Amino acid sequence: MGKPEFVGKKSKAAGGWGALRSCGKKLLASGAPLSGAVTMLKANQPDGFDCPGCAWGDPEHGSSFEFCENGVKAVAWESTDKRVKPDFFRAHTVTELRQWSDYDLERQGRLTHPLRYDRASDRYVQASWDEAFSEIGKILKGLDSPDRAEFYTSGRASNEAAYIYQLFVRLYGTNNFPDCSNMCHEASGVALEQAVGIGKGTVMLEDFEKADAIFVIGQNPGTNHPRMLGDLRRAAVRGAKIAVFNPVREKGLERFADPQDKLEMIMGGSTAIANAYYQVRVGGDMAAVRGMAKAVFAADDAALAAGQPSILDRAFLAQHTSGFEFYRASVDATSWEQIEDQSGLSHAEIEELAEIYIRSEKTICTWAMGVTQHRHSVATIRELANFLFLRGNVGRPGTGLCPVRGHSNVQGDRTVGINEKPPRAFLDALEKEFRVPMPRRHGHNVLAAIGAMLDGTAQAFIGLGGNFARATPDSPLIAKALMNQKLTVSIATKLNHSHLLPGEVSYVLPCLGRTEIDRNSDGVAQIVTVEDSMSMVHGSGGINRPASPELRSEIGIIAGIAEATVGSETVDWKGLAHHYDRIRDLIARTIPGFHDFNGRVRKPRGFRLPNGAAERIWNTRSGRATFSSCELPTLTEHQQALGERGTFVLQTFRSHDQYNTTIYGLDDRYRGIYGERRIVFVNPEDLAEIGASAGDRVDIIGRHEDGVERIAESFRVVPYDLPRGSVAGYYPELNVLVPISSAGELSDTPTSKSVLVSFRLSGQARAA
Ligand SMILES: Nc1nc2c(c(=O)[nH]1)N[C@H]1C(S)=C(S)[C@@H](COP(=O)(O)OP(=O)(O)OC[C@H]3O[C@@H](n4cnc5c(=O)[nH]c(N)nc54)[C@H](O)[C@@H]3O)O[C@H]1N2
Ligand SMILES: Nc1nc2c(c(=O)[nH]1)N[C@H]1C(S)=C(S)[C@@H](COP(=O)(O)OP(=O)(O)OC[C@H]3O[C@@H](n4cnc5c(=O)[nH]c(N)nc54)[C@H](O)[C@@H]3O)O[C@H]1N2
Ligand SMILES: [Mo]
């Protein structure tokens, strides 16, 4: 297979010198160049902390520090020298701060003291921890039902914090656990549970060293999972084929100069990563994958007719799967015309792709938000599983399904019980351990929680990290929902918009970050644990001095609220918060796969949780890997947009300088954007239809028909290489356009990648 290609220009590739320069700048801007650099050296090391960036796995072997520009940003952002002290709030009212941008708010630095909202002065004022815990406990106890409170989790929370949080909330009496995963990889969990019996990926990092072909679908790892790019690059250098499905030509996926490869850096070269880049239409992946399956079946029919062996893994299909015949029938019934129209790829292109698959003995499919944030995301992921089953590409070295998770511990949080629909066995285990009944009613996910907060059913909102107000759809509605509450509580490291929408009583409780040393009153440093996208659980211990002596750990804060709310008869909260080994002992006793948790997590690299599907044990209803036979969507939003003049499908994605709602800077280097985020990327041929020229300012108008008027004003038009009829821009600024009433089937995830919109030149509304 082909040798890597070197390109002799410095600035063209993702990574490389540009990444190093940007890192230096970020460390300086964070105000802590030296400690930032030292801190960085400890990221993802056995004796250091888990990088609070993404959930990509860490190498099994070798201790060399994996360089990642965006990991540096995440760490530097947390280890800043800047502080938001109580006097900051003396200078600014909450109403004033609401006008500030996300960028300006977080840039002020780390929160240092517990804060209580004072309505008379419209300011946050310093509070004591005891006062906070006791008032929160009093209000929670006073609600007429525990189901009137919502307990949100963002995926940075450690296993230990998430476990005692769910324990507290269930003892309090509800399963209302909206979490960031509801807006993220929920569809992957649902689809994989149905298809292979576990809602997680089946791939290990080593599998990337063995695969012959890797399909990278709907993700932008150059920005969001830079360490994955290293694994893709090594695979490409080895000669593996890497096929990308993405409507946008993402530079990080095309070429990558590895800052850890000295030779490449000196030569100023870069490796071509994707051999095959297919600009699929937005929402067209299911059709594209079905097309590949159709081409595989055609090739198989031809092989059999010529007396050659089958292309399919017939033994795997017979022994391990169910529903194959139905699937085959649904593929036969899908026309090439529909496949081409929906995917935007030609029959010939799809045959090329199928050829890559057929020639590969070992294939991996990876995906992220470009797949999970559509109406038909679950069906699409089932189709990916169908496709891999055909040639036995699950549960074999070098193969598998790989949803690439977002937050560094979003997968672990679900494992340890952040789940509004908890499995019965888990509740049974909790009841056995704690000898009290657990709530059995299913609780609220994010969209249900928003509904309840809007209609008054919910009266209290507690946020363990995250930025609920900005991450959720329909931003103006969410503001109302939060301010409707009797109580809002945010456990956070930095100030964000969710804190500025106080309920009747509101607290902001500042916590330690993952990079900081967490010592108990005996001076013993505590570690926490996280689970990555490959189901590996490892320890994480901070190394920096806490940003303020007043800070408490997330665990300490949850324990304080729990004690004030449900008392300490059933659980010794103080004891758990004193030594996290005790929480791990509870996890070991109540969740399968965690036996000898405290021993195993202290081994370098930790341990892997059991993953049936990876060993071809299928915990599905049929006891087998299960094919689905869904029809393609009748009409995707992209097709709809192409059919209606003036209508476009908008996807909301991340810039290179942000971590979700945290904005590190205003550049998006790989896409050539500097100093601005109010941008809309448009195909040059669509400019006329929009009635705008490059650089013009436009208002983007939501076209979702549910009676709500949605407008995002004054965005600059940037011509870009994406398919006609589709446009793109940054989240969270564009969340004003994402409708709460549009959600994924079976996943209930907001459809942030397929929002119907139209345009008008800015200023026109007033002129008219
Ligand atoms: N630096 C950094 N790292 C992060 C994050 C961050 O914000 N910053 N966020 C973390 C989190 S929580 C998550 S979930 C992940 C997100 O990781 P990604 O999923 O990579 O995030 P997005 O920026 O939303 O990028 C979506 C990609 O999908 C493409 N896409 C959109 N629609 C479609 C479609 O219909 N089909 C296909 N094939 N492609 C499509 C877009 O063009 C874009 O390249 O990253 C995690 N890591
Ligand atoms: N339109 C649109 N909307 C989206 C998406 C999209 O692609 N498009 N993506 C969705 C996805 S994938 C996700 S995961 C969600 C993200 O939703 P969230 O997880 O709610 O949002 P984040 O921006 O990650 O949260 C940032 C805040 O977390 C706090 N924080 C940081 N570190 C810590 C810590 O160690 N402990 C605590 N307690 N707090 C901390 C800081 O105060 C910071 O302001 O957004 C979703 N929303
Ligand atoms: Mo995410």
Side-chain angles (χ1 to χ4, degrees):
M1 288 194 170
K3 279 257 169 243
E5 193 185 323
F6 285 92
V7 189
K9 279 208 180 141
K10 269 187 203 156
S11 59
K12 277 250 169 82
W17 294 108
L20 277 180
R21 255 198 312 272
S22 167
C23 278
K25 265 202 333 218
K26 240 65 222 185
L27 285 174
L28 287 169
S30 79
L34 245 181
S35 73
V38 175
T39 308
M40 211 42 224
L41 290 169
K42 288 280 185 187
N44 293 343
Q45 295 306 303
D47 59 343
F49 57 90
D50 183 71
C51 178
C54 71
W56 189 247
D58 305 320
E60 279 288 304
H61 38 74
S63 60
S64 78
F65 152 65
E66 279 234 287
F67 178 91
C68 159
E69 177 192 2
N70 279 348
V72 174
K73 290 182 198 164
V75 167
W77 200 249
E78 184 172 298
S79 22
T80 173
D81 282 349
K82 298 187 186 136
R83 299 289 179 267
V84 173
K85 296 185 179 162
D87 59 2
F88 172 84
F89 296 98
R90 280 195 281 279
H92 306 285
T93 64
V94 166
T95 306
E96 180 208 330
L97 291 172
R98 262 206 296 278
Q99 310 310 314
W100 289 29
S101 68
D102 300 283
Y103 175 57
D104 286 330
L105 286 174
E106 283 211 31
R107 223 152 46 109
Q108 304 309 311
R110 292 286 299 278
L111 292 160
T112 55
H113 290 75
L115 300 164
R116 183 186 196 279
Y117 181 61
D118 174 52
R119 193 159 291 280
S121 63
D122 185 30
R123 283 177 164 82
Y124 272 105
V125 293
Q126 185 176 341
S128 75
W129 285 105
D130 285 344
E131 170 194 357
F133 295 151
S134 92
E135 188 172 18
I136 292 166
K138 197 168 141 220
I139 296 176
L140 286 177
K141 282 192 286 189
L143 298 181
D144 55 23
S145 156
D147 289 331
R148 285 182 171 268
E150 306 290 346
F151 296 88
Y152 179 67
T153 313
S154 168
R156 204 178 272 201
S158 64
N159 289 329
E160 291 73 11
Y163 184 84
I164 74 154
Y165 188 55
Q166 66 79 32
L167 184 59
F168 150 55
V169 172
R170 292 199 163 100
L171 288 173
Y172 173 62
T174 183
N175 284 309
N176 283 348
F177 286 108
D179 82 313
C180 72
S181 173
N182 300 145
M183 299 178 272
C184 182
H185 262 294
E186 191 71 47
S188 305
V190 172
L192 292 175
E193 189 87 46
Q194 294 172 348
V196 298
I198 180 168
K200 301 181 182 182
T202 66
V203 169
M204 297 277 284
L205 216 48
E206 301 86 283
D207 291 315
F208 284 83
E209 293 167 15
K210 299 179 185 131
D212 307 313
I214 303 168
F215 288 80
V216 178
I217 307 185
Q219 63 169 130
N220 182 23
T223 286
N224 297 313
H225 303 94
R227 288 181 299 114
M228 173 180 182
L229 225 51
D231 292 284
L232 289 178
R233 179 179 175 280
R234 281 185 285 276
V237 168
R238 219 176 18 81
K241 289 276 181 205
I242 294 173
V244 168
F245 288 10
N246 199 314
V248 178
R249 286 206 86 96
E250 301 285 23
K251 190 169 169 184
L253 271 169
E254 296 183 279
R255 302 206 164 274
F256 181 61
D258 186 351
Q260 300 191 69
D261 183 329
K262 293 192 187 65
L263 185 67
E264 220 176 62
M265 290 286 284
I266 289 160
M267 292 174 59
S270 69
T271 310
I273 296 226
N275 315 81
Y277 204 110
Y278 292 86
Q279 283 181 282
V280 65
R281 281 187 180 153
V282 168
D285 302 278
M286 182 176 178
V289 176
R290 176 146 305 185
M292 291 194 292
K294 201 171 170 74
V296 170
F297 283 134
D300 187 53
D301 291 346
L304 294 179
Q308 291 161 357
S310 175
I311 283 168
L312 308 182
D313 185 341
R314 297 274 172 186
F316 176 79
L317 293 174
Q319 269 173 35
H320 284 285
T321 68
S322 76
F324 172 69
E325 294 306 328
F326 294 107
Y327 176 59
R328 168 89 210 224
S330 67
V331 174
D332 289 345
T334 312
S335 70
W336 275 112
E337 194 190 350
Q338 197 187 2
I339 289 169
E340 288 187 315
D341 194 44
Q342 210 155 90
S343 69
L345 305 180
S346 68
H347 188 161
E349 286 173 311
I350 292 176
E351 281 189 335
E352 267 165 41
L353 282 159
E355 195 56 30
I356 295 178
Y357 183 61
I358 292 168
R359 283 171 184 265
S360 157
E361 280 309 307
K362 295 176 228 123
T363 303
I364 291 174
C365 281
T366 78
W367 69 92
M369 297 304 103
V371 170
T372 61
Q373 294 177 333
H374 292 292
R375 243 182 328 122
H376 54 290
S377 296
V378 171
T380 303
I381 298 160
R382 296 289 310 263
E383 191 69 17
L384 282 171
N386 294 339
F387 175 64
L388 287 188
F389 294 157
L390 293 180
R391 287 175 46 79
N393 278 310
V394 179
R396 205 160 46 82
T399 71
L401 291 153
C402 183
V404 183
R405 301 278 168 181
H407 267 300
S408 49
N409 196 39
V410 63
Q411 183 159 318
D413 289 348
R414 187 55 64 85
T415 303
V416 302
I418 302 301
N419 192 343
E420 79 281 2
K421 295 191 218 92
R424 194 181 302 157
F426 175 64
L427 296 179
D428 291 346
L430 290 181
E431 287 185 354
K432 194 166 153 235
E433 175 70 29
F434 299 101
R435 299 172 186 284
V436 286
M438 292 289 154
R440 298 275 164 170
R441 291 173 308 283
H442 283 177
H444 292 158
N445 63 8
V446 161
L447 289 183
I450 293 170
M453 287 160 76
L454 281 172
D455 72 17
T457 316
Q459 300 179 332
F461 175 89
I462 317 286
L464 175 54
N467 188 357
F468 190 78
R470 301 293 280 166
T472 46
D474 271 329
S475 315
L477 276 180
I478 306 306
K480 230 165 79 187
L482 280 167
M483 292 173 85
N484 251 350
Q485 302 300 294
K486 278 191 177 150
L487 172 70
T488 49
V489 178
S490 303
I491 301 171
T493 49
K494 286 197 166 182
L495 190 62
N496 69 41
H497 269 276
S498 302
H499 313 152
L500 303 174
L501 300 162
E504 223 170 284
V505 174
S506 178
Y507 282 96
V508 175
L509 304 177
C511 64
L512 293 172
R514 208 182 269 175
T515 55
E516 288 162 331
I517 303 174
D518 179 1
R519 273 188 217 288
N520 68 13
S521 53
D522 296 337
V524 180
Q526 302 297 305
I527 60 161
V528 293
T529 64
V530 296
E531 174 185 345
D532 67 25
S533 290
M534 281 86 194
S535 307
M536 294 294 299
V537 177
H538 31 86
S540 171
I543 56 160
N544 286 345
R545 210 171 46 174
S548 143
E550 286 288 319
L551 298 186
R552 296 209 179 167
S553 70
E554 290 177 341
I555 292 168
I557 296 170
I558 298 162
I561 297 176
E563 190 174 55
T565 311
V566 299
S568 294
E569 271 141 56
T570 310
V571 175
D572 170 15
W573 301 106
K574 280 211 175 77
L576 294 181
H578 187 69
H579 209 307
Y580 304 166
D581 278 9
R582 296 175 189 156
I583 305 177
R584 282 185 284 276
D585 285 338
L586 288 176
I587 295 177
R589 287 208 293 275
T590 49
I591 303 178
F594 283 98
H595 62 89
D596 186 24
F597 191 4
N598 276 309
R600 288 192 296 158
V601 83
R602 288 187 166 85
K603 304 226 165 82
R605 305 294 165 207
F607 61 95
R608 191 183 197 200
L609 286 173
N611 189 309
E615 294 160 45
R616 296 196 166 174
I617 300 162
W618 317 103
N619 293 315
T620 55
R621 218 175 281 167
S622 64
R624 288 163 166 253
T626 307
F627 278 97
S628 68
S629 43
C630 311
E631 285 179 15
L632 294 186
T634 325
L635 195 70
T636 62
E637 281 75 7
H638 198 164
Q639 286 175 301
Q640 193 180 336
L642 288 168
E644 289 171 26
R645 211 183 140 68
T647 302
F648 295 82
V649 61
L650 166 79
Q651 64 140 318
T652 55
F653 56 21
R654 292 153 173 79
S655 81
H656 195 62
D657 264 4
Q658 79 182 79
Y659 193 92
N660 298 338
T661 69
T662 294
I663 311 301
Y664 300 130
L666 302 179
D667 299 347
D668 190 6
R669 196 175 78 245
Y670 296 164
R671 298 194 185 109
I673 300 294
Y674 296 92
E676 192 176 8
R677 288 181 52 85
R678 292 181 84 82
I679 294 287
V680 58
F681 297 96
V682 178
N683 179 303
E685 291 179 46
D686 281 335
L687 285 179
E689 195 170 323
I690 289 175
S693 313
D696 280 353
R697 297 231 155 236
V698 292
D699 298 341
I700 315 175
I701 301 157
R703 293 292 300 267
H704 189 70
E705 282 167 12
D706 59 359
V708 179
E709 190 180 79
R710 299 179 175 91
I711 303 175
E713 285 180 339
S714 192
F715 280 68
R716 189 164 65 85
V717 174
V718 172
Y720 210 75
D721 188 355
L722 37 66
R724 289 208 63 176
S726 85
V727 298
Y730 303 126
Y731 132 76
E733 285 81 352
L734 286 168
N735 279 19
V736 292
L737 296 174
V738 180
I740 212 168
S741 57
S742 169
E745 287 154 13
L746 298 177
S747 63
D748 220 17
T749 296
T751 52
S752 316
K753 294 290 187 275
S754 46
V755 182
L756 287 171
V757 298
S758 62
F759 293 90
R760 69 172 180 227
L761 286 179
S762 294
Q764 245 177 24
R766 264 150 281 158

